[in-house]
Amino acid sequence: MSLKENLEKLKSEGLKDIADSKEQHVLNDIRVKLLGKKGPITDTLRGMKDLPAEERPKIGSFANKIKEELAQAIADKQEEINKAIINEKLKKETIDVTLPSRKSNKIGTQHILNQIIDDIEELFIGLGYQVISGPEVEEDKYNFEKMNIPKNHPARDMQDTFYINDELLMRTHTSPQQARTMEKHDFSKGALKMISPGKVYRRDTDDATHSHQFNQIEGLVVDKNVTMADLKGTLEVLVRHVFGEERKIRFRPSYFPFTEPSVEVDITCFACGGSGCRICKFTGWIEVLGAGLVHPNVLKNSGIDPDIYSGFAFGVGPDRFAMLKYGVEDIRNFYSNDVRFIEQFKGEEA
Ligand code: FA5
């Protein structure tokens, strides 16, 4: 058989093999076999050295043509196989959009602490207060100094503190919002009435009623002739709104460097009803907020004349409110992210 005939034969056999192949790996083997360096075409071309010189280029270009035809046939086959693979996949993965959905989609709920905070916000908005938020990373100046707690004053020990540097700290209470809003307020437009909810941080040892991170809601009213009676009336409205008329409350004299006089408000313990238990540390009462008349130094520190203006302020612990309202025995439950706990409060939203 001549070299040319040999090449023709290789081509027709090759085309038949390509046409017959149905799988990727078979086609790959054919490609390597036909077009590879050790394949029969390369092999056959070695015989070219025995041909007359003028025949060699003709056979060379004939061989290249055959190689191109075979390569094209392989590429076409490759495309055919790819299409078949995709079609097969599409057939297998058909989605029946008419099937009913699975009932596992859970609808979330607002966290109970945010529910309480929102509820208190609504109450105070109704009483004409503005709601203001402030920074959690606070300046020492606002957290302590403007609140009448100078550097090295022993009253700083009342709130163990996470410092970031000498001048910055995680705020220990929402009271710095008092100074921040007083500084900005324009009294020609009327009284200052605001509440400011947010997270606060203390290096407290966590126990059933203490967490190192918890929420507070600051309240502040500054105007002419604000008295202790205004404070008492406001706090009674707040406590009755959240807990209902039945719960007993008491005002207890206390001390805060930024109020004078100062009070703390306690509510009868939810667990024992007032007889004394582990949760209320056997007192029958749980403290829920601190309050008082704004200290004249605090007014002065924010550029307000205490001879003309007076005010009251309070700091509520909504975590404690939620514990008392819903009988939650451990404050850490609010922060442990256990969905079973959180789900119990579905639908409490106002
Ligand atoms: C204060 O933080 C004052 N800034 C409150 C205040 C504001 C007084 C304005 C006067 C005028 P006290 O440290 O007592 O005060 O905290 C206030 C409330 O926050 C407490 O009554 C309690 O409800 C809550 N609280 C305090 N420490 C914790 C804690 N570690 N975990 C959870 N709640 C806490």
Side-chain angles (χ1 to χ4, degrees):
M1 214 189 297
S2 76
L3 228 149
K4 198 168 175 203
E5 281 166 348
N6 221 338
L7 286 169
E8 290 277 18
K9 189 170 165 256
L10 282 172
K11 177 182 143 186
S12 61
E13 281 172 6
L15 288 175
K16 186 171 178 300
D17 286 349
I18 293 168
D20 288 348
S21 68
K22 294 207 168 47
E23 284 169 277
Q24 179 75 54
H25 69 97
V26 178
L27 189 66
N28 269 344
D29 290 348
I30 293 171
R31 185 202 327 271
V32 174
K33 192 180 138 211
L34 284 179
L35 305 176
K37 280 206 178 98
K38 289 180 188 148
I41 297 179
T42 320
D43 215 28
T44 309
L45 290 175
R46 284 204 187 102
M48 282 217 298
K49 62 181 182 329
D50 303 327
L51 292 177
E54 69 276 14
E55 282 294 310
R56 283 184 206 159
K58 284 186 203 153
I59 290 294
S61 79
F62 183 66
N64 279 341
K65 226 177 110 225
I66 288 181
K67 270 189 180 175
E68 270 166 31
E69 275 177 58
L70 288 171
Q72 186 57 49
I74 290 172
D76 292 348
K77 191 69 188 181
Q78 179 69 63
E79 209 182 311
E80 199 183 307
I81 292 177
N82 285 349
K83 270 191 196 148
I85 292 173
I86 291 172
N87 284 339
E88 187 65 18
K89 232 178 168 186
L90 284 175
K91 232 190 265 167
K92 270 196 205 143
E93 292 175 6
T94 332
I95 300 167
D96 182 352
V97 289
T98 64
L99 277 178
S101 67
R102 291 195 197 121
K103 291 278 176 261
S104 62
N105 288 347
K106 288 198 174 167
I107 294 174
T109 183
Q110 196 184 23
H111 193 284
I112 187 63
L113 290 178
N114 290 330
Q115 292 181 36
I116 288 260
I117 292 167
D118 277 6
D119 181 40
I120 294 173
E121 277 182 21
E122 292 287 324
L123 171 74
F124 279 99
I125 289 169
L127 295 172
Y129 288 59
Q130 325 168 49
V131 181
I132 291 169
S133 62
E136 288 173 28
V137 177
E138 184 55 282
E139 293 174 48
D140 184 282
K141 181 173 77 178
Y142 285 104
N143 197 82
F144 290 128
E145 282 175 56
K146 285 186 183 259
M147 299 315 292
N148 203 29
I149 316 174
K151 284 210 159 57
N152 303 319
H153 193 281
R156 290 200 177 207
D157 291 346
M158 291 167 74
Q159 297 177 1
D160 287 333
T161 312
F162 293 116
Y163 277 95
I164 288 166
N165 59 35
D166 285 351
E167 296 305 326
L168 280 180
L169 51 106
M170 302 306 292
R171 65 177 176 190
T172 55
H173 53 175
T174 43
S175 296
Q177 283 299 99
Q178 290 187 31
R180 284 185 177 275
T181 46
M182 277 193 277
E183 276 177 358
K184 285 190 204 128
H185 190 70
D186 176 0
F187 282 94
S188 69
K189 297 206 170 106
L192 165 56
K193 292 169 84 180
M194 71 89 178
I195 59 161
S196 187
K199 292 191 197 77
V200 303
Y201 303 82
R202 290 190 196 171
R203 214 179 56 77
D204 268 354
T205 308
D206 291 358
D207 64 19
T209 53
H210 291 81
S211 167
H212 60 279
Q213 179 226 284
F214 56 101
N215 293 278
Q216 281 193 342
I217 302 174
E218 196 73 12
L220 174 69
V221 171
V222 182
D223 200 1
K224 288 176 182 153
N225 305 317
V226 175
T227 68
M228 201 67 183
D230 298 313
L231 171 64
K232 195 160 185 262
T234 305
L235 292 180
E236 269 171 0
V237 168
L238 167 65
V239 169
R240 301 233 151 93
H241 171 79
V242 177
F243 298 106
E245 300 291 324
E246 331 66 63
R247 189 81 69 165
K248 279 200 204 130
I249 56 175
R250 74 174 182 190
F251 289 77
R252 179 166 43 81
S254 184
Y255 168 77
F256 296 103
F258 32 91
T259 45
E260 181 62 43
S262 304
V263 290
E264 274 175 317
V265 177
D266 301 336
I267 298 186
T268 42
C269 175
F270 62 87
C272 62
S275 57
C277 69
R278 182 182 60 83
I279 290 170
C280 58
K281 300 200 173 80
F282 301 96
T283 62
W285 299 92
I286 292 186
E287 176 208 320
V288 288
L289 63 91
L293 293 187
V294 181
H295 196 290
N297 287 349
V298 173
L299 293 171
K300 266 192 246 163
N301 288 343
S302 294
I304 295 171
D305 185 348
D307 291 331
I308 303 175
Y309 290 99
S310 54
F312 69 71
F314 55 85
V316 176
D319 303 44
R320 300 256 178 100
F321 268 35
M323 290 178 80
L324 284 161
K325 185 161 177 174
Y326 298 110
V328 175
E329 293 202 356
D330 197 315
I331 194 169
R332 289 165 290 199
N333 285 327
F334 295 128
Y335 300 105
S336 62
N337 266 345
D338 185 335
V339 174
R340 290 168 303 176
F341 172 78
I342 294 167
E343 271 184 339
Q344 297 176 85
F345 304 105
K346 237 179 209 173
E348 293 291 342
E349 290 101 326

